Amino acid sequence: GLALAVLAVLAASAYFRLDLKTHGSMRTRLKLAAVCLVVAGGLVVAQFRPIARVSAGDAGAVESPDGAEVPSAPSNSDLELPATEIGAP
């Protein structure tokens, strides 16, 4: 969150400073470098941010990063339909 926003501001600042120093002759390369820097930072942040974890004691319970329990998906036994005879109205 915050780290990625700071990285984006720093990349934009570096882009504008270097664009002024090169008088616009390297504008496309500088834009590409700034975008690559922000994308790489986003990938690094995504690697260290937990999405959800399964509790060791209960295989059906999943916890969100803030510790709240997330309901699990229904099992196949919950989805069974009542048996009907072929040809019944």
Side-chain angles (χ1 to χ4, degrees):
L2 181 61
L4 193 57
V6 169
L7 181 64
V9 169
L10 289 175
S13 173
Y15 164 75
F16 287 122
R17 291 184 71 190
L18 290 172
D19 188 48
L20 287 175
K21 287 189 185 254
T22 61
H23 303 289
S25 63
M26 305 290 273
R27 186 168 289 163
T28 304
R29 291 179 185 168
L30 290 173
K31 284 182 187 178
L32 180 63
V35 168
C36 288
L37 181 65
V38 172
V39 168
L43 292 174
V44 169
V45 168
Q47 287 292 322
F48 292 107
R49 185 171 184 186
I51 296 172
R53 62 179 187 268
V54 177
S55 298
D58 185 14
V62 177
E63 293 180 9
S64 65
D66 62 357
E69 189 169 322
V70 177
S72 60
S75 65
N76 286 339
S77 62
D78 295 336
L79 301 175
E80 289 181 12
L81 298 174
T84 58
E85 293 183 26
I86 297 176

